[in-house]
Amino acid sequence: MKLQNIIIPATFAGFGVVYLANVYKKFCKKEEPLKEIKANSKAKIDDESPGEYFQLQSANNEVLQKFRVRARIVSYIRQFLDSLGFLEVQTPMMNTVAGGATAKPFITHHNEHNSKMFMRIAPGLSLKMLVVGGIDRAYELGKVFRNESTDLTHNPEFTICEFYMAYADYEDLMSITEDMLSGMVLSIHGTLKINYQPEGPDGPIEQIDFTPPYRRMKIIPELEKRLEVSLPHPSTFDTPEAVELLDRLSTKHDVHCPPPRTAARLLDKLVGHFLEEECRNPTFLIDHPQVMSPLAKCHRSAPGVTERFELFVCKKKICNGYTVLNDPFEQRKRFDQQAKDRAAGDDEAQVIDENYLTALEYGLPPTGGCGMGIDRIAMFLTNSTNIQDIMLLPAMKNMLKRTANCMGE
């Protein structure tokens, strides 16, 4: 069907709705067939490009299939958590404090109250407050916003699922995560082994095996093996001597860490350089140092580290979970340390959330929590290398510039 000058019939695939739309702008030359932009294309979407509006016209094309898989991922997570007795909730997307994760927030303004507001960077603190209020198993699927860089695996606006379970710890959460992820892959692909091309459609094919149990790597012992040194005791990582050693190790191994070079940031870069690079099949990095995990409970048998895990696939993090720190006095100390890091120039460090501390004082039962990045999971299950390939109408840089120009900014 050729693109007409006046009206164009189109079908919104999946709903069977046929509509007539006025066309005021032609996307292609006269008599030229409409070209499809491939899923992994890096072509810019500009005034002369049909972009995603027309990518979805065909019900059988590769692009639309990616969003069908994405929808099945979300549906499977809901069914899985519902079957375990979790209650789906919705918590505020704007808050007076940006907490729940280590990230830089988007800032907005509430005109009626004349107050600064932050778009949420994570729903975790709100969900834990609901556990305090009596909802023992709660989860939320929704958008979060982080005012950070955009690349192939990061987008400032993305979708997350966080769930919190009273009377559970990080061991329980790792088992639940394994069951959920392996069941999801099997349900969608009919096998636990899938092919993925991390370098794009023309690159080599790697097989990812989602068969549980997943490999577990304790961060400090594994890091010591690769650095071939004995690190200071984790409980002393925030001392000047330990920070100096971590700084020297980073420099020695050409591990780039922009300032401020705090213990938490240096450790994060070292872990990324030496350990995350080894995570091809699903792998849990566990027992993070306390300085890296302000919201996680201290390990029951290993001082200085926490009961926390991160799940990596093909070197990319898709989950973060931990046994929740439920001691309000210890949590305040952790927030104070984050405040010091923030004063040193770390604008991603967390701030003190008095409402959350007050909730902890009322009593949070032993709780485990986990957050999953829906977009990255969708990337692996659709063989996509660019996170924007599995987002409908993502905000492209040139589109943002064009909007700003129209508004005179």
Side-chain angles (χ1 to χ4, degrees):
M1 182 184 66
K2 297 179 180 178
L3 186 65
Q4 303 298 316
N5 291 334
I6 305 301
I7 59 174
I8 174 173
T11 300
F12 192 86
F15 293 91
V17 177
V18 178
Y19 63 92
L20 295 178
N22 291 328
V23 173
Y24 299 101
K25 190 170 190 177
K26 292 192 296 182
F27 288 99
C28 54
K29 297 178 181 178
K30 187 177 181 180
E31 304 300 326
E32 180 182 352
L34 189 64
K35 296 179 180 179
E36 178 184 320
I37 296 178
K38 297 299 183 182
N40 286 306
S41 171
K42 295 182 180 179
K44 296 180 180 179
I45 296 181
D46 54 32
D47 285 340
E48 302 303 322
S49 170
E52 288 199 36
Y53 313 118
F54 287 91
Q55 286 185 32
L56 303 178
Q57 276 195 325
S58 171
N60 297 314
N61 68 27
E62 180 184 355
V63 175
L64 184 55
Q65 180 58 25
K66 290 178 183 289
F67 293 101
R68 291 188 184 279
V69 171
R70 182 189 174 105
R72 291 182 66 184
I73 291 170
V74 173
S75 177
Y76 185 90
I77 291 174
R78 280 199 169 100
Q79 293 175 15
F80 182 90
L81 293 175
D82 288 347
S83 70
L84 293 179
F86 283 81
L87 176 66
E88 183 175 6
V89 299
Q90 292 181 324
T91 60
M93 309 229 351
M94 293 190 300
N95 297 278
T96 55
V97 174
T102 302
K104 187 176 181 179
F106 282 95
I107 303 173
T108 186
H109 185 81
H110 195 303
N111 291 336
E112 179 68 21
H113 296 160
N114 192 27
S115 61
K116 181 190 295 184
M117 301 289 288
F118 301 90
M119 302 299 292
R120 71 178 181 189
I121 56 177
L125 298 186
S126 296
L127 292 173
K128 283 179 273 191
M129 292 167 73
L130 295 182
V131 177
V132 171
I135 303 178
D136 288 348
R137 300 185 181 192
Y139 77 94
E140 181 167 8
L141 269 159
K143 294 283 189 179
V144 293
F145 310 87
R146 299 181 182 181
N147 198 355
E148 299 168 351
S149 61
T150 300
D151 57 32
L152 292 178
T153 60
H154 294 85
N155 195 70
E157 174 186 354
F158 60 99
T159 305
I160 196 172
C161 174
E162 286 204 24
F163 58 96
Y164 286 82
M165 182 178 183
Y167 312 107
D169 61 15
Y170 81 139
E171 292 284 354
D172 299 316
L173 270 295
M174 280 190 278
S175 296
I176 290 175
T177 301
E178 285 178 337
D179 291 344
M180 183 192 301
L181 196 56
S182 60
M184 177 195 304
V185 173
L186 186 61
S187 172
I188 292 173
H189 286 286
T191 176
L192 290 171
K193 297 179 180 180
I194 66 171
N195 292 330
Y196 184 67
Q197 295 168 280
E199 298 178 16
D202 299 324
I205 297 175
E206 296 185 11
Q207 187 177 77
I208 306 175
D209 187 357
F210 285 91
T211 304
Y214 301 153
R215 179 187 181 193
R216 300 186 182 189
M217 298 172 63
K218 292 186 177 181
I219 285 181
I220 297 303
E222 296 294 338
L223 202 53
E224 288 179 326
K225 289 179 185 178
R226 286 148 186 82
L227 291 170
E228 298 181 341
V229 298
S230 294
L231 293 173
H233 193 276
S235 62
T236 67
F237 275 149
D238 59 348
T239 63
E241 296 77 15
V243 173
E244 183 181 353
L245 174 60
L246 294 172
D247 193 295
R248 290 202 307 269
L249 289 170
S250 298
T251 302
K252 176 183 176 181
H253 294 281
D254 294 323
V255 177
H256 178 64
C257 178
R261 294 169 72 88
T262 61
R265 289 170 60 85
L266 289 165
L267 281 166
D268 181 66
K269 297 300 182 183
L270 288 168
V271 169
H273 182 80
F274 287 101
L275 302 186
E276 294 175 13
E277 289 294 312
E278 298 182 14
C279 301
R280 292 291 179 176
N281 288 325
T283 302
F284 287 115
L285 298 186
I286 65 172
D287 299 352
H288 297 59
Q290 182 177 307
V291 293
M292 298 177 69
S293 313
L295 300 172
K297 199 168 192 174
C298 293
H299 199 283
R300 65 198 71 185
S301 60
V305 301
T306 59
E307 296 187 350
R308 179 186 171 194
F309 67 85
E310 292 178 298
L311 179 60
F312 286 82
V313 176
C314 276
K315 303 188 289 186
K316 303 300 180 184
K317 181 169 66 175
I318 60 172
C319 296
N320 177 48
Y322 50 86
T323 306
V324 177
L325 175 59
N326 58 350
D327 180 342
F329 303 105
E330 175 63 24
Q331 184 63 79
R332 184 175 289 279
K333 291 180 183 178
R334 303 273 190 93
F335 279 154
D336 287 341
Q337 180 59 49
Q338 289 284 296
K340 293 178 182 177
D341 289 347
R342 195 173 187 84
D346 186 356
D347 57 4
E348 293 184 354
Q350 298 191 39
V351 296
I352 299 175
D353 189 330
E354 293 293 346
N355 289 334
Y356 178 62
L357 290 171
T358 299
L360 291 184
E361 290 173 0
Y362 281 98
L364 174 68
T367 299
C370 179
M372 312 177 72
I374 304 302
D375 308 282
R376 287 191 183 173
I377 294 175
M379 287 177 64
F380 290 121
L381 298 194
T382 61
N383 192 26
S384 302
T385 56
N386 190 331
I387 193 170
Q388 294 193 339
D389 289 341
I390 46 80
M391 291 181 167
L392 286 169
L393 307 178
M396 301 293 189
K397 185 178 293 186
N398 61 321
M399 294 168 66
L400 295 173
K401 288 182 178 178
R402 204 157 55 232
T403 302
N405 290 336
C406 290
M407 297 179 68
E409 296 179 2

